[in-house]
Amino acid sequence: MRTIREAIILLIFIFPLWGKDRPNMLFIPVDDLNTWVGHLGGHPQALTPNIDRLAKRGVSFTQAYCNAPLCNPSRVSLFTGLLPSSTGVYGNGEMMRVKVPDAVTLMQYLRSEGGYSVQGGGKTFHGSASYDPKSWDYYNMPRRERHAGERDAYLPDDAWAPWGPLDVDESELFDVKNVDWAISELGKDHEKPFFIACGFTKPHMPWYAPRKYFDMHPIEDVILPNTLDNDREDLPYWGEKFAIEVHDVSGARNFARHGEDHEMILKHKQWPRAVQSYLATISYIDAHVGRLLDALEESPYADNTYIVLWGDHGWHLGEKQHWRKHALWEVTTQTTLVIAGPEGVAKGELCDRPVSLIDLYPTVLEISGLPMRDGLEGVSLAPLLENPGHEWDRPVQMTFGYENHAVRTDRWRYIRYNDGGEELYDHNEDPNEWTNLAGNPEYSSVIERLKQSLPKTNRK
């Protein structure tokens, strides 16, 4: 009996200290954010002073990629540490707990093994999956207010143009309400180390943002992306199909009911307006990232909190005459990833090593001092955080649908579709991916080498 009593007393005194010295984590997922942020130079007119100041506090990855160019599979992959080809979660229609019911998410592991208080808000997983009860101690989901931006007066009612300035009080907007919640959490006393995820829904379409952010990007000055008029001519069947149509590959449904995106953009002279709207929506999000950073800096947790800001995939605005995501090219898959922290993170450094979002799970475990989990398919980025020039020879794997994959190294992008169609791009010579080299026998040895890095598992 004495032994049991002593054990109980020990637990009473020790349990409150469990994990107390671990660092806090502030996760900032940003929906549909490509590399159009100031310090990455994805667009010369991007205005993101707050994301840029976060980059000055840590390491920003110039070649960060999603593992799937669609919200649900990208986020499931990140939070489970498993590739889409392993989980079978390829589209927005599949549910994580149906496909991989025994998956231990990053948040679950932090709760069970690290003694963390784990809270989320806004968009972390896709849709209702955000409420996954195994992952959170608490989840905040503000009420959505539906606002429509101002359309150009000349547009017919049936024109596809989901963008324009809003004349509303910012406090009414979903992302602002969610940041308010996260700021309130940073102002509280926390007995445990915390993991707080404050997920932004913008710049996901529709690109509606308060008018002042549109005024920051005058439409008459907007610079359009570099494009090549005949860019689709050397694409294989699936490459061209993905360029033209909008697919959720869980059901291969075409959501472009208005017709081909780019065709409609040109028909209604909306290209400058669309680019302006995307830039404005990013600037809107950046302003509220700034509020979040200010709150952390003013809190007692400023010196013991890692900050991880990431976009879930890239976004096309006319490159390859393509819009949105839903493809395996550079612009569709490249995103923003910034990590800042109190220890073991270089300050104000760019890292040009190819990495992917699946690497965040093991990275968080390492920097929080937790044991590494078996079965994770990413690797920790901690060596690159300490030394961004660290030797790194690990190809990135991306998947869009069953047996459609891309492999990215520091020089090459290789795409292989489920019918055997291929694309190969040399980023040393062709950063815009305008010339598909896959049909040139001169590059057959390159393709054979890159094939070795395709996923070995393809779950149906």
Side-chain angles (χ1 to χ4, degrees):
M1 289 295 293
R2 181 178 179 182
T3 303
I4 296 174
R5 186 182 302 112
E6 289 175 348
I8 292 172
I9 293 172
L10 187 65
L11 284 172
I12 289 172
F13 283 97
I14 294 298
F15 187 77
L17 301 177
W18 177 44
K20 197 168 182 63
D21 293 331
R22 299 194 191 281
N24 304 304
M25 300 283 167
L26 178 59
F27 247 45
I28 310 176
V30 186
D31 205 3
D32 289 9
L33 177 65
N34 60 17
T35 59
W36 286 21
V37 295
H39 71 276
L40 290 180
H43 191 285
Q45 295 169 313
L47 298 175
T48 55
N50 295 295
I51 295 175
D52 298 341
R53 88 168 139 118
L54 176 61
K56 290 179 182 178
R57 294 180 49 190
V59 175
S60 183
F61 292 85
T62 64
Q63 292 193 75
Y65 300 95
C66 65
N67 298 103
L70 192 60
C71 297
N72 187 47
S74 174
R75 292 161 185 263
V76 168
S77 180
L78 186 157
F79 285 123
T80 63
L82 302 173
L83 292 167
S85 53
S86 297
T87 64
V89 177
Y90 298 119
N92 283 344
E94 290 111 348
M95 300 297 291
M96 176 183 71
R97 291 297 177 193
V98 173
K99 286 284 189 174
V100 280
D102 298 326
V104 177
T105 67
L106 170 62
M107 291 74 70
Q108 277 181 264
Y109 196 71
L110 292 175
R111 291 173 75 187
S112 64
E113 302 299 324
Y116 276 81
S117 166
V118 177
Q119 302 172 70
K123 184 171 181 179
T124 51
F125 287 103
H126 177 72
S128 61
S130 290
Y131 293 106
D132 180 49
K134 294 182 180 180
S135 294
W136 310 103
D137 292 309
Y138 173 77
Y139 202 84
N140 180 68
M141 187 63 78
R143 180 181 175 184
R144 284 183 180 269
E145 302 291 344
R146 300 296 180 182
H147 301 285
E150 178 183 275
R151 287 163 61 93
D152 288 332
Y154 67 84
L155 285 172
D157 291 342
D158 63 346
W160 181 65
W163 41 70
L166 286 171
D167 293 307
V168 299
D169 191 307
E170 281 186 57
S171 63
E172 298 179 24
L173 301 178
F174 179 91
D175 285 318
V176 179
K177 293 177 184 177
N178 196 52
V179 171
D180 291 344
W181 161 79
I183 288 173
S184 72
E185 290 302 314
L186 293 173
K188 295 178 180 178
D189 291 330
H190 293 272
E191 294 185 357
K192 297 180 179 181
F194 61 74
F195 175 99
I196 296 176
C198 179
F200 287 89
T201 62
K202 299 296 183 186
H204 193 289
M205 280 184 174
W207 294 329
Y208 299 144
R211 189 177 297 275
K212 67 181 182 181
Y213 300 105
F214 280 75
D215 293 341
M216 292 165 61
H217 303 277
I219 194 167
E220 61 271 16
D221 299 330
V222 164
I223 297 172
L224 302 183
N226 288 328
T227 58
L228 186 68
D229 288 343
N230 64 344
D231 199 5
R232 295 179 184 172
E233 290 183 359
D234 58 1
L235 298 180
Y237 170 79
W238 277 107
E240 185 171 3
K241 194 170 182 63
F242 286 155
I244 294 172
E245 298 184 4
V246 180
H247 282 80
D248 177 345
V249 291
S250 57
R253 298 187 300 275
N254 179 7
F255 287 117
R257 302 187 188 283
H258 53 265
E260 185 183 340
D261 288 344
H262 196 64
E263 186 179 279
M264 293 291 284
I265 292 283
L266 296 180
K267 176 181 176 181
H268 297 294
K269 300 180 175 59
Q270 284 290 293
W271 205 346
R273 176 67 75 193
V275 171
Q276 178 204 34
S277 301
Y278 188 65
L279 288 167
T281 310
I282 292 173
S283 291
Y284 155 62
I285 289 304
D286 178 80
H288 294 282
V289 168
R291 291 178 57 223
L292 194 56
L293 298 180
D294 290 343
L296 178 61
E297 290 168 6
E298 294 166 5
S299 77
Y301 313 107
D303 296 330
N304 191 33
T305 300
Y306 285 90
I307 307 167
V308 184
L309 183 146
W310 50 275
D312 57 352
H313 45 68
W315 187 276
H316 275 238
L317 289 100
E319 303 92 340
K320 280 187 166 34
Q321 294 79 51
H322 179 62
W323 289 77
R324 314 188 212 207
K325 44 235 182 180
H326 314 103
L328 287 168
W329 300 302
E330 186 80 359
V331 178
T332 340
T333 55
Q334 190 178 17
T335 188
T336 297
L337 173 60
V338 184
I339 302 177
E343 295 181 356
V345 182
K347 307 303 179 188
E349 295 281 349
L350 295 177
C351 178
D352 61 3
R353 305 302 193 223
V355 301
S356 76
L357 299 181
I358 202 171
D359 298 323
L360 288 181
Y361 194 143
T363 302
V364 169
L365 297 192
E366 181 163 351
I367 63 180
S368 62
L370 283 167
M372 198 60 62
R373 281 196 63 234
D374 291 336
L376 297 179
E377 295 184 291
V379 296
S380 172
L381 302 177
L384 294 178
L385 296 178
E386 185 174 351
N387 174 17
H390 183 81
E391 185 174 343
W392 195 260
D393 185 21
R394 181 178 169 82
V396 171
Q397 299 167 315
M398 291 150 271
T399 296
F400 183 50
Y402 178 65
E403 291 192 327
N404 298 317
H405 304 300
V407 172
R408 182 68 161 91
T409 67
D410 59 349
R411 177 175 179 178
W412 303 98
R413 173 174 293 268
Y414 171 62
I415 301 172
R416 182 175 177 84
Y417 298 104
N418 56 41
D419 63 352
E422 295 175 307
E423 298 175 47
L424 177 69
Y425 301 102
D426 181 352
H427 275 259
N428 285 359
E429 304 295 332
D430 181 22
N432 293 306
E433 298 186 341
W434 286 343
T435 304
N436 179 11
L437 302 171
N440 187 336
E442 181 180 340
Y443 297 95
S444 58
S445 61
V446 175
I447 289 176
E448 287 305 312
R449 184 174 73 251
L450 294 171
K451 276 183 180 179
Q452 305 310 307
S453 296
L454 292 171
K456 303 300 188 288
T457 299
N458 285 280
R459 181 176 174 181
K460 287 191 176 182

